[in-house]
Amino acid sequence: MDRLTSYTDAYRPQPLPGPLAAGPRPTGPQAVVLAAVWLLAAWSPDATPGWRADFAHTERFDGDPVEDVAALLAEWIPAADDRGRALRAFLAGELASRYVQLRREPADDLVLLLHDWKDRTLRITIAAAPAVAPPPQDSRIPCLLTLLSDQLWLNNNDPVTFRVFLGEPDAAGPGAWWAATREEPGEDVPDLREYSPDDIRTALLNVARGGLDDLGADWDGDGDYPALPEDHIAAHVTNDLLDVLLERVAPVAVHGTGYLPVDWDEQDGDTQIGTVVLTGARAVAVLDVDVSC
């Protein structure tokens, strides 16, 4: 099976596509920016006017400071819907973060230099195009996993980790697919119960709800933990991940095991990985949600 991870995965990061694969791996902040730009392209194929994005490593870091990156991105990257606008605002926040420095080169295109704490510079070019240029092939799922792990945390050091395995359909049952994607062959196959796609969506959104530190910033501990806003970037990305897998697989059966909190109060301290197996006529997908520290 093909294994897909985030571009920032600590153990087995997803290889970068294209020319970027030949250079040094992007740092965490750079990888998040790459993922956000590519996902914006995937989410806005019919946007007018069109645009394309190019990335390159560079030794240069000069040009003019950028005072209002949000306004600049809005000028160059149209967003046709709420999720696009939310992602564009998220990207602006990443480029304006106190952990990076940003400069703009004088050019007809929008050319930004992103310099970070590892003393590396990423050159980002946004240019006008007849239509929105598609992101690199097979980057959609790694981009989603990268943004989710950037947003969702177990503590100050450990992000929630996501892994996706894709394979060709055959007669194997969900238990066999679970076993085929384990790190240690020979693990006992757990009971896998049937879920509906709506159940899985609720469970994934609850994982996102629990992993967003900013939700609980003003919570006094009384009453229910704050709900995940429907317009939050984490909700948009979580929904898109499941939608992409459902479209890819066209499942006839959905099974799961482990930590899949369909009910918010469904907590299991002994379970550190939730696994979803989607079996369909087009493909089989296995999604791991790892909440282990």
Side-chain angles (χ1 to χ4, degrees):
M1 298 186 81
D2 294 331
R3 176 185 180 127
L4 303 176
T5 59
S6 76
Y7 295 121
T8 55
D9 189 274
Y11 298 103
R12 297 177 67 174
Q14 184 72 18
L16 282 162
L20 287 173
R25 283 204 65 83
T27 61
Q30 291 174 350
V32 171
V33 167
L34 287 165
V37 173
W38 285 336
L39 188 57
L40 271 169
W43 281 359
S44 55
D46 300 322
T48 302
W51 56 278
R52 62 175 176 81
D54 293 299
F55 296 91
H57 300 288
T58 180
E59 298 296 325
R60 296 180 53 197
F61 183 64
D62 51 21
D64 301 320
V66 179
E67 304 214 352
D68 191 345
V69 66
L72 200 55
L73 292 181
E75 178 184 346
W76 283 88
I77 301 178
D81 54 22
D82 288 343
R83 71 176 184 175
R85 285 184 284 273
L87 182 54
R88 189 178 62 193
F90 169 82
L91 174 61
E94 293 297 301
L95 292 172
S97 165
R98 62 178 176 168
Y99 300 109
V100 298
Q101 300 177 57
L102 189 69
R103 297 286 186 270
R104 181 182 183 183
E105 285 188 354
D108 291 338
D109 299 328
L110 176 60
V111 181
L112 300 173
L113 299 175
L114 181 67
H115 190 77
D116 65 21
W117 56 276
K118 283 195 173 180
D119 201 28
R120 295 182 188 168
T121 303
L122 183 69
R123 191 172 191 263
I124 308 161
T125 302
I126 307 293
V132 178
Q137 187 175 8
D138 298 327
S139 66
R140 178 76 164 265
I141 291 175
C143 285
L144 292 166
L145 304 187
T146 300
L147 294 179
L148 283 172
S149 286
D150 176 71
Q151 290 277 287
L152 309 182
W153 291 82
L154 302 168
N155 52 46
N156 289 337
N157 299 310
D158 301 295
V160 180
T161 303
F162 297 81
R163 296 177 290 268
V164 171
F165 303 85
L166 295 171
E168 297 296 325
D170 63 16
W177 288 111
W178 180 92
T181 55
R182 297 309 92 190
E183 293 284 352
E184 298 180 8
E187 292 184 59
D188 293 335
V189 178
D191 292 331
L192 284 93
R193 56 172 287 195
E194 280 202 66
Y195 286 87
S196 71
D198 286 343
D199 286 339
I200 298 302
R201 189 180 304 277
T202 299
L204 294 179
L205 289 170
N206 277 334
V207 170
R209 177 185 177 188
L212 277 176
D213 288 339
D214 54 347
L215 278 186
D218 298 322
W219 184 54
D220 61 6
D222 293 329
D224 290 338
Y225 190 77
L228 178 64
E230 292 182 1
D231 60 350
H232 195 287
I233 185 62
H236 291 304
V237 175
T238 300
N239 281 319
D240 193 50
L241 174 60
L242 182 58
D243 289 342
V244 167
L245 293 178
L246 291 174
E247 181 179 359
R248 180 80 172 256
V249 173
V252 295
V254 178
H255 292 81
T257 187
Y259 183 64
L260 295 172
V262 176
D263 297 317
W264 172 251
D265 294 330
E266 183 184 322
Q267 305 290 335
D268 185 349
D270 296 328
T271 304
Q272 297 183 313
I273 298 178
T275 301
V276 182
V277 182
L278 300 97
T279 309
R282 298 176 187 166
V284 172
V286 179
L287 168 65
D288 278 344
V289 182
D290 191 336
V291 294
S292 59
C293 297

